[in-house]
């Protein structure tokens, strides 16, 4: 979003999926629409009634043309020949008994999935690391709570050439700490690329 505010060029593609039901997810949806995406999908595992986003945010996103794919949850992300995301497999969900938060818990409908063609996928699901990272990235060491294990200050993970920082490593923290981690990792990435180029 910061790049959007600065009017920096961003190419999201024609079909964008944003996963999450909070205000940040709604911001991402509406920003994608304004950047010219032809189809913007909001993927959320509960119904609109359970979304934590402000009602007004949801209504205005709908007015702007966001397509809500409620009661769905990403099951698999598929890449095209160029290595970029080309489609996501969505698990159809249904609401079960209330969980600890008082909201009805989403439960998978066995055997009910469908595929959505997308050019870009944005995860906007809170301050904890995306659980898909652990299950889809081989050789990446993670903490019990899902955080990525990374060296300080470089951000180098257990997988060569993969760097991490911010909330995905520390858990929920401040933007300043995340920015600091980003700068440190940027230096380490630059050194890593230079060392590879020199060989």
């Amino acid at each position: 979003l910061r790049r959007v505010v600065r009017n920096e060029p961003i190419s999201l593609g024609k079909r964008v999926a944003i996963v999450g039901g909070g205000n940040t997810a709604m911001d991402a949806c509406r920003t994608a629409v304004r950047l010219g995406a032809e189809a913007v999908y909001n993927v959320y595992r509960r119904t609109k009634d359970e979304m934590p986003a402000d009602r007004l945010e949801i209504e205005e996103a709908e007015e702007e043309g966001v397509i809500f794919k409620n009661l769905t949850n990403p099951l698999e992300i598929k890449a095209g020949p160029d290595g970029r995301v080309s489609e996501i497999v969505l698990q159809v969900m249904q609401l079960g008994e209330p969980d600890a938060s008082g909201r009805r818990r989403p439960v998978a409908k066995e055997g009910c999935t469908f595929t959505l063609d997308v050019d870009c996928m944005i995860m906007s699901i809170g301050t904890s690391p995306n659980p898909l990272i652990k299950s889809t990235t081989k050789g990446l060491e993670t903490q019990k709570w899902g955080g990525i294990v990374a060296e300080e200050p470089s951000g180098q993970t257990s997988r060569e050439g993969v760097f991490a920082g911010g909330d995905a490593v520390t858990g929920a923290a401040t933007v300043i700490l995340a920015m600091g981690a980003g700068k440190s990792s940027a230096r380490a990435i630059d050194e890593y690329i230079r060392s590879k180029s020199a060989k």
Side-chain angles (χ1 to χ4, degrees), residues 128-194:
S128 59
N130 178 356
L132 286 174
I133 294 172
K134 183 177 180 179
S135 60
T136 60
T137 312
K138 292 180 181 177
L140 189 67
E141 185 182 353
T142 58
Q143 306 278 3
K144 286 183 179 179
W145 54 272
I148 300 168
V149 175
E151 297 174 8
E152 289 188 19
S154 69
Q156 173 65 59
T157 68
S158 58
R159 184 165 170 173
E160 185 187 354
V162 176
F163 297 78
D167 291 3
V169 172
T170 62
T174 66
V175 172
I176 297 297
L177 287 174
M179 289 173 66
K183 284 187 174 182
S184 296
S185 290
R187 283 190 290 270
I189 292 167
D190 182 59
E191 289 174 12
Y192 176 81
I193 292 171
R194 288 175 188 274

Side-chain angles (χ1 to χ4, degrees), residues 6-186:
R6 291 180 176 177
N7 291 319
E8 296 176 12
I10 298 173
S11 177
L12 293 178
K14 294 181 179 179
R15 301 176 309 277
V16 180
I18 287 92
V19 181
N23 287 329
T24 303
M26 293 304 102
D27 286 345
C29 287
R30 297 174 70 186
T31 299
V33 169
R34 294 171 194 183
L35 286 173
E38 293 176 6
V40 177
Y41 303 100
N42 175 252
V43 176
Y44 184 60
R45 60 187 186 153
R46 291 182 168 102
T47 70
K48 283 183 196 170
D49 292 336
E50 284 81 28
M51 278 185 163
D54 294 337
R55 287 296 104 195
L56 185 61
E57 288 274 356
I58 297 168
E59 290 168 8
E60 290 182 350
E62 203 162 26
E63 287 173 10
E64 288 190 52
V66 173
I67 303 161
F68 285 83
K69 295 289 184 182
N70 294 110
L71 290 172
T72 61
N73 201 37
L75 189 63
E76 184 181 359
I77 303 168
K78 295 185 178 181
D82 60 358
R84 295 173 62 92
V85 62
S86 63
E87 48 185 36
I88 54 175
V89 178
L90 297 177
Q91 171 69 59
V92 177
M93 311 295 285
Q94 59 189 354
L95 295 180
E97 295 300 314
D99 60 16
S101 70
R103 293 184 299 173
R104 292 177 65 192
R105 187 170 60 89
V107 180
K109 273 190 177 181
E110 292 301 322
C112 293
T113 63
F114 66 96
T115 301
L116 199 61
D117 293 334
V118 295
D119 305 308
C120 176
M121 180 175 168
I122 299 170
M123 301 299 288
S124 181
I125 53 173
T127 56
S128 59
N130 178 356
L132 286 174
I133 294 172
K134 183 177 180 179
S135 60
T136 60
T137 312
K138 292 180 181 177
L140 189 67
E141 185 182 353
T142 58
Q143 306 278 3
K144 286 183 179 179
W145 54 272
I148 300 168
V149 175
E151 297 174 8
E152 289 188 19
S154 69
Q156 173 65 59
T157 68
S158 58
R159 184 165 170 173
E160 185 187 354
V162 176
F163 297 78
D167 291 3
V169 172
T170 62
T174 66
V175 172
I176 297 297
L177 287 174
M179 289 173 66
K183 284 187 174 182
S184 296
S185 290

